[in-house]
């Protein structure tokens, strides 16, 4: 019976980061501290989300962001919390946020890192209690320390990421991240205020039977996407689309599946943003054995030209992404 007593509580995120620090290309502790800063903000945002129904923080904020989307109150709150945590942490010189038109200079001119972040993705789901998430991407600055970050620091290809991750505020709150040495998932224990390692070395199945796409836009999909959706239907795949990228992505990562946001009539370049949604999830999925393209090009090879540029996204199990691209290629050959 005594072997049940004193069971270890598990590995905290902090201890995991310290143990893995030797894996970091720049093992001087700054990236470790940056990850801790993100985890702190995630705990605060998690608390705000969990109380949303009790405080007057649900619903629209009354303004639009640079995307022309109605900001939700929690979008603004999450944006403030993450920017403040990264500014106070001191490791980040510049932040690209979905909620900010321009890059934010933190004043940490000696900071070595740039963070691109979607502070709260899927926030329209907050009022109906559907999972939402934070998505982040970390780059090392290319300019000299001692001044503000530059556009060259911000507009780096996804292959230059030194870290990426997401927080999913779902039935449980999880932080999933990579620093280029595999993908690990941590579940938040609110009673202790700690993230504990719960999903070590995440690998996504090579294929699956779940496809995530908004079939309401089917009529304006490119022909190849229509053909792939028909292929999924003919093979009796499961359609799972909750309108929250992090929720759909995480489920597909764990079970196998594909998420597609193609070009549509309303979003000719796709809806998702390259810098703080597509690149971050592409880094994670590739580290987990998956694949992410824009339908023809590897997401992480795309050269960014604007902070908030959009791109089509095909991401998930590699064999499913390849199959979708087969239909897209056939479309090109026919045309
Ligand atoms: P649609 C949320 O706004 C989001 O960015 C993703 O989280 C989600 O997958 C997608 O947009 C939903 O967009 O056009 O299908 O409603």
């Amino acid at each position: 019976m005594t072997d049940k007593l004193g069971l270890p509580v598990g590995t905290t995120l902090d201890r995991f980061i310290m143990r893995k620090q030797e894996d970091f290309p720049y093992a001087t502790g700054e990236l470790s501290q940056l990850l801790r800063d993100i985890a702190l903000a995630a705990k605060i945002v998690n608390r705000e989300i969990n109380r949303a129904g009790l405080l007057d923080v649900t619903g629209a904020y009354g303004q639009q962001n640079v995307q022309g989307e109605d900001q939700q109150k929690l979008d603004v709150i999450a944006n403030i919390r993450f920017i403040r945590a990264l500014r106070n942490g001191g490791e980040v010189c510049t932040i690209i946020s979905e909620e900010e038109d321009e890059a934010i200079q933190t004043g940490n001119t000696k900071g070595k890192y740039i963070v691109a972040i979607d502070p709260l993705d899927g926030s329209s789901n907050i009022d109906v209690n559907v999972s939402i998430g934070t998505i982040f991407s970390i780059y090392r600055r290319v300019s000299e320390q001692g001044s503000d970050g530059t556009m060259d620091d911000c507009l780096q290809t996804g292959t230059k990421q030194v870290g990426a991750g997401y927080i999913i505020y779902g039935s449980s709150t999880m932080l999933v991240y990579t620093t280029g040495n595999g993908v690990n998932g941590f579940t938040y224990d609110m009673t202790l205020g700690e993230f504990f390692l719960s999903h070590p070395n995440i690998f996504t199945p090579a294929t699956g039977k779940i496809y995530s796409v908004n079939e309401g836009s089917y009529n304006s999909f490119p022909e190849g996407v229509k053909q792939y959706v028909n292929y999924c239907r003919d093979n009796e795949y499961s359609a799972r689309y909750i309108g929250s990228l992090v929720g759909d992505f995480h489920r597909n990562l764990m079970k196998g599946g594909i998420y597609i946001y193609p070009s549509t009539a309303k979003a000719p370049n796709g809806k998702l943003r390259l810098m703080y949604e597509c690149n971050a999830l592409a880094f994670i999925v590739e580290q987990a054995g998956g694949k992410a393209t824009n339908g023809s090009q590897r997401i992480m090879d795309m050269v960014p030209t604007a902070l908030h540029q959009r791109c089509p996204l095909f991401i998930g199990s590699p064999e499913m992404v390849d199959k979708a691209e087969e239909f897209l290629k056939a479309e090109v050959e026919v045309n």
Side-chain angles (χ1 to χ4, degrees), residues 12-300:
T12 64
L13 172 64
D14 207 53
R15 183 168 295 170
F16 182 88
I17 290 172
M18 292 315 293
R19 282 185 188 153
K20 287 282 183 177
Q21 184 161 310
E22 62 271 10
D23 292 344
F24 296 170
Y26 321 99
T28 51
E30 287 103 332
L31 188 53
S32 302
Q33 183 53 49
L34 204 174
L35 289 167
R36 283 191 205 92
D37 297 336
I38 288 175
L40 171 61
K43 293 176 187 177
I44 297 168
V45 170
N46 180 67
R47 182 189 62 184
E48 312 273 2
I49 288 170
N50 288 160
R51 298 188 304 176
L54 302 173
L55 308 170
D56 179 23
V57 294
T58 57
Y61 177 61
Q63 288 181 11
Q64 290 196 331
N65 61 19
V66 66
Q67 330 289 340
E69 295 164 345
D70 293 333
Q71 286 181 307
Q72 303 296 304
K73 289 175 189 166
L74 275 170
D75 282 325
V76 176
I77 291 170
N79 189 49
I80 291 167
R81 294 295 187 188
F82 278 100
I83 288 175
R84 187 178 297 160
L86 292 171
R87 176 179 283 125
N88 295 344
E91 308 303 345
V92 174
C93 61
T94 305
I95 301 168
I96 304 161
S97 168
E98 181 189 64
E99 303 303 331
E100 302 286 345
D101 300 7
E102 306 300 330
I104 302 276
Q105 300 299 350
T106 62
N108 302 320
T109 54
K110 293 198 182 315
K112 292 181 180 175
Y113 296 99
I114 309 291
V115 168
I117 188 165
D118 183 351
L120 204 56
D121 180 79
S123 52
S124 57
N125 291 299
I126 291 167
D127 298 1
V128 292
N129 218 358
V130 167
S131 298
I132 50 184
T134 298
I135 310 169
F136 64 89
S137 180
I138 306 169
Y139 293 85
R140 187 176 172 79
R141 72 184 300 172
V142 294
S143 62
E144 286 300 311
Q145 289 174 265
S147 58
D148 286 343
T150 65
M151 281 305 275
D152 286 344
D153 290 322
C154 294
L155 298 178
Q156 300 183 56
T157 59
T159 50
K160 300 290 189 189
Q161 293 175 91
V162 294
Y166 59 87
I167 297 99
I168 178 168
Y169 310 97
S171 48
S172 67
T173 293
M174 279 188 71
L175 168 64
V176 178
Y177 83 92
T178 183
T179 53
N181 299 288
V183 179
N184 293 281
F186 300 79
T187 298
Y188 186 53
D189 181 334
M190 271 186 262
T191 63
L192 296 176
E194 288 283 3
F195 283 100
F196 285 93
L197 181 63
S198 54
H199 297 71
N201 300 315
I202 295 174
F203 256 86
T204 196
T207 190
K209 288 196 175 284
I210 295 172
Y211 70 106
S212 306
V213 65
N214 185 344
E215 295 189 57
S217 305
Y218 179 90
N219 291 340
S220 70
F221 284 168
E223 190 55 36
V225 175
K226 289 180 180 176
Q227 295 304 323
Y228 180 66
V229 169
N230 295 336
Y231 170 85
C232 293
R233 290 169 175 171
D234 294 345
N235 285 277
E236 296 181 346
Y237 286 9
S238 295
R240 293 285 185 275
Y241 189 77
I242 67 171
S244 185
L245 170 61
V246 173
D248 281 320
F249 176 83
H250 183 71
R251 178 202 54 244
N252 294 351
L253 181 75
M254 302 308 288
K255 294 190 166 186
I258 185 171
Y259 172 102
I260 298 173
Y261 206 109
S263 64
T264 66
K266 280 189 290 186
N269 295 316
K271 177 181 182 184
L272 302 175
R273 274 63 54 141
L274 174 62
M275 292 310 296
Y276 39 79
E277 290 168 331
C278 301
N279 263 331
L281 298 183
F283 191 15
I284 291 169
V285 86
E286 289 197 5
Q287 284 287 312
K291 195 164 184 178
T293 77
N294 66 359
S296 57
Q297 182 183 12
R298 183 188 180 210
I299 290 289
M300 286 172 58

